[in-house]
Amino acid sequence: MSNLETKCVLVIDENLPLGLIANTAAILGVTLGSMLPRW
């Protein structure tokens, strides 16, 4: 049997200010996480 796994990668410009990088990653993570089925 095959175990399929889905992964997500965020590519964020490293030249942005650290706060903007953190906020972008957090918002995208929460938004994408809300689309997953509840366990």
Side-chain angles (χ1 to χ4, degrees):
M1 259 197 260
S2 175
N3 184 11
L4 298 178
E5 196 173 300
T6 302
K7 295 184 180 185
C8 178
V9 176
L10 300 177
V11 179
I12 303 172
D13 187 352
E14 67 182 14
N15 295 317
L16 292 172
L18 186 55
L20 191 55
I21 291 173
N23 285 344
T24 301
I27 295 300
L28 289 174
V30 168
T31 302
L32 291 172
S34 71
M35 302 175 100
L36 296 174
R38 305 263 179 209
W39 296 85

